[in-house]
Amino acid sequence: IPGGISNWKDIKTYKNRAFVTGEYQQGMQIIDLANLSNGEATSLFWEAPFGGFGRLGACHNIYIEEKTGGAYWSGCRIVGGGVLMFDITGELLDYLVKTNTIYTHEVYVRNDTIYSADMNIGVFSIIDATNKSNPTVIANQSTPFQFTHNTWLSDDGKTIFTTDEIGNSPLAAYDISDVDDIKALDAFYPTGTKGTGLIPHNVHVKNDFLVTSYYAEGVVITD
């Protein structure tokens, strides 16, 4: 499937469509997956004017909350690197609101709460997006090396895991059961590589396991 030229892309799916972001100016690539069984896939670039900002252009990452059909574009140049929220349940993208104006590298979303990795200021933010016209930051917390790359939530919603995309940084865990009193719980390094400059990239949660990608270490699964 032809696409934009970029050193980095991210892709997420919702029902029979795939949404692709990249560090290019064509906007969001939307791929129709409905006829894949027949060897067919059509795509288009969406960059229509919206929200009074102009055309979409480059965004770094996308997260889709499948329960609500909400899509969250992060690192969008058009809003200073912030997050744009869309409803993608219909055939057309329905712009809802921007959630912040600082650079957000990636987001994780559950129901109406956004967990934002604010890389350039070294914190993760928790944003209440219940009111779609007025998302509100309700907490933030610095991460060990203050270069917050991504966040992911435990199944019970009480613990958040973070990575800092910088050498020798750990995989960190925080208790967020009380957002007014966030507590650091632990820091994990893969066995035998602590202090060797290893860089964690992304952490994901699968049941009681963390699945983390590392530069030069591959994938590490942590109980």
Side-chain angles (χ1 to χ4, degrees):
I1 301 171
I5 303 301
S6 175
N7 287 332
W8 190 94
K9 291 183 180 180
D10 188 55
I11 181 170
K12 299 291 191 302
T13 59
Y14 181 74
K15 295 184 177 179
N16 64 346
R17 292 185 291 179
F19 299 84
V20 186
T21 62
E23 304 288 353
Y24 43 68
Q25 294 303 317
Q26 295 100 314
M28 175 64 57
Q29 186 174 13
I30 303 173
I31 304 171
D32 186 346
L33 307 174
N35 294 315
L36 280 184
S37 59
N38 297 322
E40 299 175 2
T42 58
S43 72
L44 58 85
F45 279 95
W46 184 90
E47 57 170 345
F50 63 93
F53 305 124
R55 295 186 177 275
L56 182 62
C59 292
H60 182 74
N61 195 261
I62 179 176
Y63 187 90
I64 294 175
E65 218 296 6
E66 294 188 354
K67 292 180 182 178
T68 63
Y72 300 78
W73 277 251
S74 60
C76 294
R77 303 297 186 266
I78 197 171
V79 287
V83 177
L84 296 169
M85 186 191 311
F86 290 83
D87 182 343
I88 58 171
T89 56
E91 287 302 311
L92 300 176
L93 277 65
D94 182 16
Y95 167 71
L96 298 175
V97 72
K98 65 176 181 178
T99 65
N100 58 6
T101 55
I102 62 174
Y103 179 73
T104 299
H105 197 68
E106 295 194 14
V107 294
Y108 176 90
V109 184
R110 186 174 296 177
N111 298 321
D112 291 315
T113 305
I114 302 168
Y115 302 88
S116 170
D118 303 335
M119 174 182 277
N120 291 348
I121 60 174
V123 306
F124 68 83
S125 299
I126 303 176
I127 302 168
D128 182 353
T130 305
N131 181 350
K132 294 298 184 292
S133 64
N134 186 32
T136 304
V137 176
I138 57 175
N140 54 59
Q141 171 68 43
S142 62
T143 53
F145 277 49
Q146 298 183 353
F147 201 60
T148 317
H149 183 270
N150 96 304
T151 67
W152 213 266
L153 202 60
S154 62
D155 288 347
D156 64 9
K158 296 179 179 180
T159 306
I160 197 167
F161 301 92
T162 69
T163 58
D164 290 303
E165 192 182 17
I166 195 167
N168 295 322
S169 61
L171 170 63
Y174 298 86
D175 180 349
I176 59 168
S177 55
D178 180 357
V179 296
D180 294 321
D181 186 23
I182 296 173
K183 293 182 173 66
L185 294 175
D186 205 355
F188 170 80
Y189 297 87
T191 303
T193 52
K194 183 177 181 179
T196 63
L198 194 68
I199 300 174
H201 191 245
N202 274 49
V203 59
H204 298 79
V205 178
K206 177 68 173 177
N207 299 325
D208 288 325
F209 297 93
L210 304 182
V211 183
T212 310
S213 58
Y214 286 84
Y215 288 85
E217 184 80 359
V219 174
V220 176
I221 298 176
T222 311
D223 186 341

